[in-house]
Amino acid sequence: MEQVKSYITTLQKTMDGLNQSLISDVIHVLQRARMNSNQVFIMGNGGSASTASHFVCDLAKNTRCDGLPHFRVIGLADNMEIFSAYANDEGYESVFSQQLINLINPGDVVIAISASGNSKNVINAVEEARKHSATTIGFTGFDGGRLGQSVNYHIHVDSKIIEHVEDIHLMLEHMIVRTIKDQPMIGINVPDASTKMTVDIIGD
């Protein structure tokens, strides 16, 4: 079918624009967190919540290596009881930030996934993370939204096709985890980066 062919062709074109350098930087950030026993928090809404949960599972299980610490990774969209309690009592915009207040420490890493980049609960959580000197990473689409302007590392899928944005966010998760799995020592001795970095994935 022509629609299927067009979907695949456009997705491939978008993927071809992926800047591998920033993905490597994000891997290094995660590896430093691993070696320093820092926590990694991952969050998102809707389809991005699914990607966040998938990321948590893969990072925790598939990167284990004899002689190296396991990742201390927590999904902020995975506990429906506390998620719904905060949403019901304090508003949906607080569901991630209130969880972080209880758990986050300096040096931790927060990964925020939002196709629009404008999810209020995600932005509030990133703002909370920065108050605690955590490193923040954003996966976005469309124009990057407020999230893209708020994080230390911004991986931007420059596409207005929501399905493509979500596809690539999941691919990025798999790229990151697979690289760490295959090269468990990658990035461990790389100095910390202090500057904000961004990448655009060129697409529709």
Side-chain angles (χ1 to χ4, degrees), residues 29-69:
V29 168
L30 290 172
Q31 287 286 68
R32 284 193 295 271
R34 174 189 211 169
M35 298 307 295
N36 293 329
S37 296
N38 296 126
Q39 301 172 106
V40 179
F41 300 94
I42 311 179
M43 62 185 154
N45 296 288
S48 296
S50 175
T51 299
S53 294
H54 198 141
F55 205 163
V56 170
C57 176
D58 287 352
L59 193 62
K61 178 179 180 293
N62 295 345
T63 60
R64 292 172 297 169
C65 177
D66 290 343
L68 293 179

Side-chain angles (χ1 to χ4, degrees), residues 155-170:
I155 301 180
H156 176 221
V157 179
D158 188 14
S159 174
K160 295 180 176 64
I161 303 173
I162 181 64
E163 294 84 1
H164 285 184
V165 175
E166 293 184 347
D167 287 342
I168 293 172
H169 285 172
L170 184 58

Side-chain angles (χ1 to χ4, degrees), residues 28-193:
H28 295 164
V29 168
L30 290 172
Q31 287 286 68
R32 284 193 295 271
R34 174 189 211 169
M35 298 307 295
N36 293 329
S37 296
N38 296 126
Q39 301 172 106
V40 179
F41 300 94
I42 311 179
M43 62 185 154
N45 296 288
S48 296
S50 175
T51 299
S53 294
H54 198 141
F55 205 163
V56 170
C57 176
D58 287 352
L59 193 62
K61 178 179 180 293
N62 295 345
T63 60
R64 292 172 297 169
C65 177
D66 290 343
L68 293 179
H70 294 180
F71 277 98
R72 302 175 64 199
V73 55
I74 299 168
L76 297 180
D78 293 337
N79 186 320
M80 183 50 63
E81 291 78 11
I82 195 166
F83 186 100
S84 60
Y86 282 130
N88 186 65
D89 298 341
E90 300 184 26
Y92 192 74
E93 66 275 8
S94 72
V95 294
F96 298 135
S97 59
Q98 289 301 310
Q99 291 184 70
L100 282 180
I101 288 172
N102 291 335
L103 300 171
I104 198 162
N105 295 303
D108 288 344
V109 176
V110 173
I111 301 176
I113 306 172
S114 171
S116 70
N118 289 314
S119 298
K120 182 65 174 175
N121 54 4
V122 169
I123 293 167
N124 285 347
V126 166
E127 291 174 352
E128 188 64 39
R130 293 175 70 85
K131 291 178 186 176
H132 293 269
S133 300
T135 298
T136 54
I137 299 167
F139 289 7
T140 72
F142 295 85
D143 66 358
R146 288 183 56 199
L147 180 61
Q149 302 171 12
S150 303
V151 293
N152 300 114
Y153 296 85
H154 177 209
I155 301 180
H156 176 221
V157 179
D158 188 14
S159 174
K160 295 180 176 64
I161 303 173
I162 181 64
E163 294 84 1
H164 285 184
V165 175
E166 293 184 347
D167 287 342
I168 293 172
H169 285 172
L170 184 58
M171 290 178 188
L172 287 166
E173 179 269 304
H174 283 148
M175 290 178 205
I176 290 167
V177 171
R178 183 72 194 196
T179 301
I180 294 172
K181 177 182 178 180
D182 290 347
Q183 302 180 57
M185 299 301 293
I186 189 172
I188 286 177
N189 296 317
V190 174
D192 192 11

